[in-house]
Amino acid sequence: MNRCEWIVCERGSTWAAALRVAAARQPPAAWRGPRLYEVRSLAELSERFDVCPQGYGLVEVHRANLGPVLTWLVDTVRRFPRGCFAALLDASITGKRGPNRHSSDDRQEAVNSLLEAGAVDVADSPRHLQPILALGQRHCDRVAICPGIAVPSPSFAEWAQSLVPWQDS
Amino acid sequence: MPRTATSDSLTKLLDHCSRPVYLVDDQRRIIYCNPALADWTALDRGRISGRVVEYHSEARHHADTSRDSSAPLVDLCPPPSAFFGETSRGTISCVAQDGGLKHRLADFIPLDVAPNQRTKGRRASDGTAGAVLVLLAGSDLSPQELAAQLTGDPSADELHRTIRRFRRAQAAAYAGDSLLGNSTAMQKVRAQVAAAAASGANSLVCGPPGSGRGHVARAIHYQACSDGLAKLVPLNCRLVNDDLLRRALDALRSPGGEPRHRPTLLLQELEYLPRPFQTQLLTALCQDELPARIVATLSNRHMARAVMGRPAIQEASIGTPTANDSSDDNSDEGKSARQVGPAALDPALIDVISTIAIYVPRLVERMEDLPILAQCFLEACNRGSPRQIGSIRREALDRLALYSWPGELAELRQVIAAAHRECASHEIETADLPAVIHHASQAASRATRHPERIVLDELLAKIEKEAIVRALAQAGGNKTEAAELLGMTRPRLYRRLVQLGFDNERTAEELDGPEFIERDSEEPPQ
């Protein structure tokens, strides 16, 4: 399977619902509507990427899972170089929940580290998903245009060459 | 009298305490530490006392073990809230002798704050507030306990420490010795990376896709952090837009510490950066004096040659897809990048960025590194897997060496992962390797044979059949898309399926339903 899938990893369905709504509001011509999968854990997300290594992974990040997400991103970006990943910052990090005077610093630090780990972009509100949608569309366009780039698949030229008995060296 | 005696007694008491204890004044200077802390950190007490502690998450170089008595200590800093009179609990970390991190729970107890001055979030007006006593637990946190800490609802302090742990891990992962290989080419790369890191110069990392250019680029950044703190801002030039570029530049402009702590802008696959953004970036670099080091990766080897002072390549030849570039250049973006391509990259931008040009060699140019690289990837597969495989048999390595590795290290990683999945013993054998490796081996083994006869029609039919199967798989079974991929009409694809001996019923069922037969029968054979 080489098509681009959008895979949302979150605890609930907040982000996925917001993405569907935001996508539905896109002009039909602009939205080519890749299928949106929902998973509930990073392990499931990895499994989904095994099936669709060129997918677009959207990972919800909250205070409790920031460390695991950072580690997962570093490993997964390396494992699936044709994939694309964005982070969805939960309010517990963006500081919109509870009085935390360091929240803006926390948020910026979290954003910086997520970008450093391999996220291409970070969204901090389900109400502002336009950049994330645009990024996903560009990624899917790229994947659709240059198919067959999964690295380990046998090279056709190599295979055809192996059939030809005479070779120069 | 009683005061001195009490003070001495208290000091003795703390000195004999088995739990690490230290005291930080309001200037964030360690004014006391007991021997247990010295033991835990493996630093002399004299080197700890008087040191300033800082509260930040920026990565330092792995080799910076804070033995420098003038350097600030990062890991021992209490959270800022403690200096404002808030008692809190968190973790304190230090580098273990094996280079990893060890962690302990710690209580941060503010001292010298009169009750009437203990206003939350506000420092006492007479300046006496702020000294913090830190009392560490008697034993290190186990990995399970540490994980449990992280999966709870961590405080702001824990978040901060999580980020710090991540950055430390990154710094370790991209240390100089992470650039594996003893080949001459890799020795040169390591030397260039060290030079780029030490000089702070902009760097251009060139090489084929999958060769580890990104790793080299990050290694420059993380090695440069050894004497300070710096931010890494990656920018994927394939996906960049106005918003991403603006935010990246803003992040680099934002005050992030002292001037010597230059952040790094990592431009991934620079050749895909659209021309208007090149101009924008150049303006930011030259006119706005962006206080950042630029490290860029380029996927075109010809460009690397041009940059390194070799004869410039004609635009046409640059546009010719090679085995290495084929995956990238088949796209419209690839085509536009070819049109813009290396030749259309702004020479002024290249001049600014390519102060140091590093060429990352192809894997086939450093086959002596293959065993260590394969072993490294194998051990990475072992991580977290119930299947633990120790090594790769010599015969299998020989077989790997026959392959041309168009996908470079990325392909090697995936081949080893596939072999890891197939392997049933403690050692990867030749049979565990994917088919593509065997095909290459067969091709190589036939190289010296005497000419054989073939039936060209059969051979071409076999190739055509394989191409159709792959196109159908590529199109997810959609024959219209498959026909487009193959550059033929849909009816013709149907006919070829029949002529090449596909099982009609199975094909119809698997691919598109019963219409396959019906529609095909409507078309007159050519």
Side-chain angles (χ1 to χ4, degrees):
Chain A
M1 171 56 111
N2 287 307
R3 292 193 173 188
C4 180
E5 291 175 359
W6 292 34
I7 311 155
V8 186
C9 177
E10 59 174 329
R11 294 172 294 185
S13 284
T14 311
W15 291 97
L19 277 165
R20 287 196 182 94
V21 170
R25 289 176 182 161
Q26 295 287 307
W31 177 252
R32 280 179 275 282
R35 186 167 176 185
L36 195 68
Y37 284 87
E38 288 184 55
V39 294
R40 297 283 174 254
S41 69
L42 293 175
E44 286 178 71
L45 186 52
S46 295
E47 284 171 14
R48 197 67 225 162
F49 264 90
D50 284 332
V51 178
C52 178
Q54 302 177 10
Y56 182 40
L58 298 136
V59 190
E60 182 189 38
V61 185
H62 44 85
R63 277 186 181 273
N65 80 343
L66 177 62
V69 168
L70 289 171
T71 309
W72 181 87
L73 268 176
V74 169
D75 290 343
T76 310
V77 167
R78 204 175 283 172
R79 226 175 112 202
F80 302 105
R82 306 300 307 182
C84 182
F85 303 90
L88 309 168
L89 277 196
D90 178 69
S92 62
I93 285 186
T94 56
K96 288 168 188 163
R97 182 188 298 161
N100 184 347
R101 65 173 176 276
H102 304 300
S103 59
S104 62
D105 292 344
D106 285 351
R107 180 194 169 281
Q108 197 52 51
E109 270 201 295
V111 168
N112 289 343
S113 54
L114 286 163
L115 293 174
E116 200 172 321
V120 179
D121 202 359
V122 179
D124 62 3
S125 165
R127 287 177 288 111
H128 301 119
L129 289 173
Q130 182 54 40
I132 293 288
L133 283 175
L135 185 65
Q137 284 183 17
R138 282 204 304 282
H139 172 67
C140 289
D141 288 348
R142 183 161 65 91
V143 168
I145 288 166
C146 47
I149 48 182
V151 171
S153 64
S155 145
F156 178 71
E158 198 105 38
W159 176 83
Q161 189 190 21
S162 73
L163 295 177
V164 181
W166 54 83
Q167 297 180 29
D168 40 21
S169 66
Chain B
M1 145 309 285
R3 187 173 193 125
T4 307
T6 307
S7 172
D8 289 346
S9 302
L10 182 60
T11 305
K12 278 184 186 173
L13 193 66
L14 292 176
D15 281 351
H16 288 94
C17 179
S18 61
R19 295 169 62 177
V21 179
Y22 59 100
L23 187 61
V24 183
D25 71 7
D26 63 344
Q27 301 300 310
R28 290 181 286 104
R29 191 175 299 279
I30 297 176
I31 53 177
Y32 168 80
C33 72
N34 70 351
L37 182 76
D39 288 345
W40 187 61
T41 57
L43 293 171
D44 293 339
R45 283 178 79 185
R47 289 194 170 189
I48 299 175
S49 294
R51 298 274 289 277
V52 172
V53 291
E54 291 180 350
Y55 189 77
H56 55 71
S57 303
E58 302 291 344
R60 291 172 309 157
H61 187 259
H62 189 52
D64 177 14
T65 51
S66 301
R67 264 64 176 175
D68 176 4
S69 57
S70 63
L73 283 169
V74 174
D75 294 320
L76 300 183
C77 189
S81 58
F83 292 98
F84 286 92
E86 290 179 24
T87 302
S88 57
R89 170 171 268 218
T91 55
I92 287 288
S93 312
C94 82
V95 180
Q97 289 194 338
D98 63 0
L101 280 179
K102 50 186 181 179
H103 314 274
R104 283 193 186 190
L105 280 177
D107 290 306
F108 305 105
I109 304 159
L111 303 178
D112 290 332
V113 181
N116 60 348
Q117 293 173 325
R118 192 170 292 179
T119 308
K120 189 175 180 181
R122 184 175 298 175
R123 192 181 284 266
S125 57
D126 63 358
T128 57
V132 176
L133 180 71
V134 184
L135 182 60
L136 272 65
S139 58
D140 292 346
L141 288 170
S142 67
Q144 291 78 14
E145 288 170 329
L146 188 63
Q149 288 273 315
L150 292 173
T151 51
D153 186 16
S155 63
D157 178 51
E158 197 53 56
L159 180 81
H160 158 86
R161 291 182 194 281
T162 299
I163 294 171
R164 186 197 301 170
R165 275 193 288 272
F166 160 70
R167 292 211 163 123
R168 281 189 167 282
Q170 287 285 91
Y174 292 99
D177 55 7
S178 69
L179 298 169
L180 290 178
N182 292 319
S183 59
T184 311
M186 281 313 292
Q187 287 175 20
K188 184 180 173 189
V189 167
R190 278 197 293 272
Q192 286 182 305
V193 166
S199 66
N202 294 336
S203 309
L204 192 57
V205 184
C206 311
S211 59
R213 296 162 303 159
H215 189 107
V216 170
R218 283 173 183 256
I220 293 171
H221 168 76
Y222 287 110
Q223 288 193 33
C225 290
S226 59
D227 62 344
L229 316 165
K231 188 190 295 181
L232 175 67
V233 181
L235 192 64
N236 186 331
C237 295
R238 280 175 179 269
L239 297 171
V240 71
N241 59 10
D242 283 320
D243 187 45
L244 283 176
L245 182 63
R246 179 184 52 75
R247 278 189 282 156
L249 295 178
D250 286 348
L252 295 168
R253 287 193 187 101
S254 64
E258 298 177 26
R260 67 193 170 91
H261 303 147
R262 289 176 70 201
T264 300
L265 174 62
L266 171 57
L267 296 166
Q268 297 160 322
E269 300 185 284
L270 179 66
E271 68 274 29
Y272 291 101
L273 188 67
R275 194 61 187 254
F277 297 152
Q278 291 180 35
T279 309
Q280 204 175 331
L281 180 63
L282 192 60
T283 306
L285 285 171
C286 299
Q287 293 177 11
D288 301 347
E289 295 179 344
L290 194 71
R293 167 215 310 270
I294 312 293
V295 180
T297 64
L298 266 181
S299 64
N300 198 306
R301 220 170 82 178
H302 298 91
M303 182 59 193
R305 287 179 182 164
V307 167
M308 285 191 269
R310 296 177 196 171
I313 306 298
Q314 297 296 320
E315 190 171 354
S317 68
I318 290 165
T320 305
T322 64
N324 291 323
D325 296 334
S326 59
S327 63
D328 295 332
D329 289 349
N330 286 336
S331 65
D332 280 355
E333 279 181 70
K335 286 171 190 165
S336 68
R338 239 180 279 157
Q339 289 156 12
V340 181
L345 275 172
D346 191 332
L349 181 64
I350 292 293
D351 280 348
V352 170
I353 293 177
S354 62
T355 310
I356 294 179
I358 300 174
Y359 167 61
V360 183
R362 296 183 61 203
L363 181 54
V364 290
E365 292 169 351
R366 54 175 186 129
M367 272 319 211
E368 61 267 47
D369 295 336
L370 181 73
I372 190 172
L373 291 166
Q375 183 68 26
C376 174
F377 292 145
L378 177 66
E379 290 174 15
C381 292
N382 284 340
R383 199 179 308 138
S385 166
R387 188 172 299 185
Q388 298 291 303
I389 297 165
S391 59
I392 302 168
R393 286 185 74 93
R394 189 184 182 86
E395 297 79 13
L397 283 171
D398 291 344
R399 189 64 65 92
L400 291 174
L402 292 175
Y403 186 55
S404 57
W405 298 110
E408 299 294 331
L409 296 184
E411 187 172 13
L412 175 62
R413 175 192 293 273
Q414 303 213 24
V415 164
I416 296 296
H420 188 272
R421 283 192 296 272
E422 292 296 319
C423 182
S425 72
H426 65 284
E427 234 179 1
I428 286 182
E429 297 178 10
T430 310
D432 301 324
L433 298 174
V436 63
I437 303 296
H438 297 298
H439 290 149
S441 174
Q442 286 166 18
S445 67
R446 292 180 185 183
T448 54
R449 285 185 186 175
H450 294 295
E452 296 173 17
R453 292 172 62 99
I454 61 162
V455 180
L456 182 60
D457 286 343
E458 284 178 11
L459 176 66
L460 294 179
K462 197 171 179 182
I463 292 173
E464 187 180 1
K465 194 171 177 180
E466 180 66 21
I468 289 173
V469 166
R470 289 178 186 228
L472 285 166
Q474 185 65 50
N478 184 314
K479 291 196 290 298
T480 306
E481 274 185 38
E484 279 178 20
L485 287 174
L486 292 164
M488 61 170 64
T489 62
R490 184 176 147 130
R492 187 175 166 213
L493 174 61
Y494 286 143
R495 282 195 299 276
R496 292 307 294 155
L497 286 171
V498 174
Q499 287 164 3
L500 291 169
F502 280 84
D503 180 339
N504 288 357
E505 283 182 19
R506 190 176 62 86
T507 307
E509 186 182 333
E510 285 181 0
L511 301 185
D512 210 7
E515 66 168 338
F516 166 65
I517 301 293
E518 293 162 17
R519 288 196 180 190
D520 188 54
S521 62
E522 290 169 6
E523 296 292 331
Q526 287 183 347

mmCIF file of all heavy atoms in Angstrom, chain A residues 89-104:
data_model
loop_
_atom_site.group_PDB
_atom_site.id
_atom_site.type_symbol
_atom_site.label_atom_id
_atom_site.label_comp_id
_atom_site.label_asym_id
_atom_site.label_seq_id
_atom_site.Cartn_x
_atom_site.Cartn_y
_atom_site.Cartn_z
ATOM 1 N N LEU A 89 -0.651 19.843 19.730
ATOM 2 C CA LEU A 89 -0.394 20.146 21.137
ATOM 3 C C LEU A 89 -1.688 20.240 21.923
ATOM 4 O O LEU A 89 -2.564 21.051 21.616
ATOM 5 C CB LEU A 89 0.351 21.470 21.266
ATOM 6 C CG LEU A 89 1.860 21.466 21.096
ATOM 7 C CD1 LEU A 89 2.435 22.756 21.648
ATOM 8 C CD2 LEU A 89 2.507 20.282 21.742
ATOM 9 N N ASP A 90 -1.763 19.444 22.944
ATOM 10 C CA ASP A 90 -2.915 19.461 23.834
ATOM 11 C C ASP A 90 -2.862 20.709 24.723
ATOM 12 O O ASP A 90 -1.797 21.294 24.934
ATOM 13 C CB ASP A 90 -2.842 18.191 24.699
ATOM 14 C CG ASP A 90 -3.960 18.129 25.693
ATOM 15 O OD1 ASP A 90 -5.099 17.946 25.266
ATOM 16 O OD2 ASP A 90 -3.687 18.277 26.895
ATOM 17 N N ALA A 91 -4.010 21.092 25.242
ATOM 18 C CA ALA A 91 -4.063 22.292 26.080
ATOM 19 C C ALA A 91 -3.203 22.164 27.332
ATOM 20 O O ALA A 91 -2.789 23.167 27.904
ATOM 21 C CB ALA A 91 -5.501 22.571 26.463
ATOM 22 N N SER A 92 -2.935 20.947 27.759
ATOM 23 C CA SER A 92 -2.115 20.804 28.967
ATOM 24 C C SER A 92 -0.703 21.311 28.735
ATOM 25 O O SER A 92 -0.002 21.649 29.674
ATOM 26 C CB SER A 92 -2.074 19.339 29.407
ATOM 27 O OG SER A 92 -1.486 18.537 28.405
ATOM 28 N N ILE A 93 -0.282 21.365 27.495
ATOM 29 C CA ILE A 93 1.040 21.931 27.205
ATOM 30 C C ILE A 93 0.910 23.374 26.770
ATOM 31 O O ILE A 93 1.740 24.208 27.098
ATOM 32 C CB ILE A 93 1.751 21.093 26.127
ATOM 33 C CG1 ILE A 93 2.248 19.794 26.751
ATOM 34 C CG2 ILE A 93 2.931 21.861 25.539
ATOM 35 C CD1 ILE A 93 3.072 18.936 25.853
ATOM 36 N N THR A 94 -0.126 23.681 26.028
ATOM 37 C CA THR A 94 -0.241 25.060 25.561
ATOM 38 C C THR A 94 -0.619 26.006 26.688
ATOM 39 O O THR A 94 -0.569 27.204 26.536
ATOM 40 C CB THR A 94 -1.281 25.184 24.434
ATOM 41 O OG1 THR A 94 -2.515 24.661 24.911
ATOM 42 C CG2 THR A 94 -0.859 24.419 23.218
ATOM 43 N N GLY A 95 -0.976 25.456 27.837
ATOM 44 C CA GLY A 95 -1.180 26.318 28.991
ATOM 45 C C GLY A 95 -2.553 26.922 29.067
ATOM 46 O O GLY A 95 -2.789 27.840 29.832
ATOM 47 N N LYS A 96 -3.489 26.409 28.277
ATOM 48 C CA LYS A 96 -4.831 26.985 28.322
ATOM 49 C C LYS A 96 -5.663 26.353 29.424
ATOM 50 O O LYS A 96 -6.803 26.685 29.608
ATOM 51 C CB LYS A 96 -5.509 26.789 26.968
ATOM 52 C CG LYS A 96 -4.897 27.697 25.922
ATOM 53 C CD LYS A 96 -5.329 27.318 24.548
ATOM 54 C CE LYS A 96 -4.527 28.126 23.520
ATOM 55 N NZ LYS A 96 -4.612 27.550 22.209
ATOM 56 N N ARG A 97 -5.070 25.368 30.081
ATOM 57 C CA ARG A 97 -5.808 24.721 31.164
ATOM 58 C C ARG A 97 -5.008 24.915 32.447
ATOM 59 O O ARG A 97 -3.870 24.496 32.535
ATOM 60 C CB ARG A 97 -5.946 23.240 30.864
ATOM 61 C CG ARG A 97 -6.731 22.486 31.880
ATOM 62 C CD ARG A 97 -6.635 21.010 31.590
ATOM 63 N NE ARG A 97 -7.208 20.694 30.281
ATOM 64 C CZ ARG A 97 -6.936 19.562 29.638
ATOM 65 N NH1 ARG A 97 -6.117 18.697 30.146
ATOM 66 N NH2 ARG A 97 -7.491 19.322 28.484
ATOM 67 N N GLY A 98 -5.593 25.595 33.400
ATOM 68 C CA GLY A 98 -4.929 25.754 34.685
ATOM 69 C C GLY A 98 -3.964 26.923 34.697
ATOM 70 O O GLY A 98 -3.409 27.321 33.676
ATOM 71 N N PRO A 99 -3.769 27.522 35.879
ATOM 72 C CA PRO A 99 -2.877 28.668 35.982
ATOM 73 C C PRO A 99 -1.421 28.225 36.083
ATOM 74 O O PRO A 99 -1.008 27.691 37.088
ATOM 75 C CB PRO A 99 -3.340 29.337 37.278
ATOM 76 C CG PRO A 99 -3.910 28.223 38.097
ATOM 77 C CD PRO A 99 -4.367 27.158 37.170
ATOM 78 N N ASN A 100 -0.700 28.401 35.060
ATOM 79 C CA ASN A 100 0.717 28.033 35.072
ATOM 80 C C ASN A 100 1.493 29.191 34.465
ATOM 81 O O ASN A 100 1.423 29.439 33.271
ATOM 82 C CB ASN A 100 0.926 26.756 34.259
ATOM 83 C CG ASN A 100 2.364 26.296 34.321
ATOM 84 O OD1 ASN A 100 3.229 27.054 34.758
ATOM 85 N ND2 ASN A 100 2.614 25.090 33.890
ATOM 86 N N ARG A 101 2.209 29.862 35.275
ATOM 87 C CA ARG A 101 2.831 31.084 34.779
ATOM 88 C C ARG A 101 3.965 30.815 33.805
ATOM 89 O O ARG A 101 4.421 31.702 33.126
ATOM 90 C CB ARG A 101 3.329 31.931 35.946
ATOM 91 C CG ARG A 101 4.444 31.291 36.732
ATOM 92 C CD ARG A 101 4.988 32.264 37.758
ATOM 93 N NE ARG A 101 5.983 31.634 38.583
ATOM 94 C CZ ARG A 101 5.721 30.906 39.646
ATOM 95 N NH1 ARG A 101 4.479 30.739 40.020
ATOM 96 N NH2 ARG A 101 6.692 30.356 40.352
ATOM 97 N N HIS A 102 4.443 29.546 33.740
ATOM 98 C CA HIS A 102 5.526 29.225 32.814
ATOM 99 C C HIS A 102 4.987 28.604 31.529
ATOM 100 O O HIS A 102 5.730 28.057 30.762
ATOM 101 C CB HIS A 102 6.504 28.239 33.454
ATOM 102 C CG HIS A 102 7.066 28.731 34.742
ATOM 103 N ND1 HIS A 102 7.782 29.893 34.812
ATOM 104 C CD2 HIS A 102 7.013 28.224 35.986
ATOM 105 C CE1 HIS A 102 8.161 30.080 36.078
ATOM 106 N NE2 HIS A 102 7.700 29.088 36.805
ATOM 107 N N SER A 103 3.678 28.692 31.333
ATOM 108 C CA SER A 103 3.089 27.914 30.248
ATOM 109 C C SER A 103 3.625 28.302 28.877
ATOM 110 O O SER A 103 3.850 27.440 28.039
ATOM 111 C CB SER A 103 1.578 28.061 30.274
ATOM 112 O OG SER A 103 1.245 29.414 30.141
ATOM 113 N N SER A 104 3.844 29.602 28.640
ATOM 114 C CA SER A 104 4.303 29.994 27.306
ATOM 115 C C SER A 104 5.716 29.463 27.052
ATOM 116 O O SER A 104 6.036 29.019 25.950
ATOM 117 C CB SER A 104 4.253 31.509 27.148
ATOM 118 O OG SER A 104 5.118 32.107 28.084
#
